[in-house]
């Protein structure tokens, strides 16, 4: 297992913060073809190769509203996802494949119902509680360019920025 920028799993490279693509807004998927189905399989492969529970298309440089989640033995394809309903609040630790080795507490709804299309364009509703809700919402945020560190105080966020810069050798 490697945690640098090597291309493993689905042939996709996971972009690391502060890559500017991660802050961009993704566009709706309008074409449901074989290329889309292949891309979704590649996303799953990249996510599994990095032991992730979710991965969004912008994290591999594709600004389309596509994400995958796999948790508790269930796999979800989220294409053009939207929130239908949400309840409660939870506070818990969260990480992101674009921030290797960095975790922070983020408050999110305890329960969500979302609607999303699959690779054929059919719409499904999924309910997620606890960590599943957290994973859905974290991945959906990626599609609007929102990152989990955006929920933190500027003090905590700056500390994470410094740590991320050290990890990647990047500059701000
Ligand atoms: Ni993430």
């Amino acid at each position: 297992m490697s945690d640098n920028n090597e291309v493993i799993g689905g042939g996709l490279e996971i972009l690391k913060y502060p890559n500017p693509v991660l802050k961009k807004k993704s566009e709706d998927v309008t074409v449901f073809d074989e290329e889309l189905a292949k891309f979704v399989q590649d996303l799953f492969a990249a996510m599994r190769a990095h032991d992730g529970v979710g991965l969004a298309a912008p994290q591999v440089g594709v600004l389309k509203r596509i994400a995958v989640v796999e948790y508790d033995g269930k796999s979800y394809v989220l294409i053009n996802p939207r929130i239908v309903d949400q309840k409660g609040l939870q506070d818990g630790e969260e990480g992101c494949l674009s921030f290797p080795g960095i975790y922070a507490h983020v408050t999110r709804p305890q329960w969500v119902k979302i609607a999303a299309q699959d690779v054929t364009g059919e719409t499904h509703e999924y309910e997620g509680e606890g960590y599943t809700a957290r994973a859905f919402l974290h991945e959906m945020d990626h599609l609007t360019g929102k990152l989990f560190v955006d929920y933190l105080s500027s003090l905590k966020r700056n500390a994470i920025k410094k740590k991320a810069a050290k990890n990647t050798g990047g500059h701000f």
Side-chain angles (χ1 to χ4, degrees):
M1 178 79 49
S2 163
D3 63 1
N4 62 20
N5 282 338
E6 261 179 73
V7 177
I8 58 168
L12 299 175
E13 181 187 343
I14 296 180
L15 305 180
K16 304 297 190 305
Y17 181 83
N19 191 304
V21 173
L22 296 171
K23 296 299 293 171
K24 294 197 170 143
K25 197 168 179 247
S26 290
E27 292 185 345
D28 276 334
V29 173
T30 54
V31 179
F32 295 83
D33 58 5
E34 264 179 46
E35 197 184 324
L36 175 67
K38 167 79 166 60
F39 177 69
V40 166
Q41 287 316 306
D42 289 346
L43 268 186
F44 272 117
M47 179 196 72
R48 289 170 187 144
H50 291 84
D51 292 327
V53 296
L55 186 62
Q59 291 180 277
V60 297
V62 175
L63 290 169
K64 297 271 187 188
R65 293 180 44 77
I66 305 167
V68 295
V69 168
E70 194 165 65
Y71 182 67
D72 213 13
K74 288 185 188 139
S75 303
Y76 305 88
V77 175
L78 308 182
I79 298 174
N80 301 329
R82 61 188 172 84
I83 295 171
V84 176
D85 199 5
Q86 59 185 59
K87 284 181 199 150
L89 286 175
Q90 58 170 317
D91 182 39
E93 195 161 70
E94 196 165 314
C96 178
L97 291 178
S98 295
F99 293 76
I102 292 173
Y103 300 89
H105 276 258
V106 178
T107 302
R108 293 193 185 270
Q110 171 63 20
W111 175 90
V112 285
K113 184 194 276 185
I114 62 171
Q117 286 169 282
D118 64 19
V119 293
T120 70
E122 195 182 330
T123 299
H124 304 269
E125 285 194 338
Y126 304 109
E127 292 181 31
E129 174 110 38
Y131 201 76
T132 305
R134 179 176 294 283
F136 286 163
L137 293 165
H138 176 111
E139 297 314 325
M140 287 169 73
D141 275 352
H142 272 299
L143 307 180
T144 63
K146 184 157 189 174
L147 302 171
F148 78 122
V149 294
D150 294 332
Y151 289 93
L152 308 178
S153 69
S154 57
L155 194 70
K156 281 186 188 161
R157 193 162 53 243
N158 285 337
I160 284 176
K161 276 184 187 172
K162 278 194 196 127
K163 194 173 177 199
K166 217 182 273 174
N167 283 347
T168 61
H171 298 282
F172 294 92

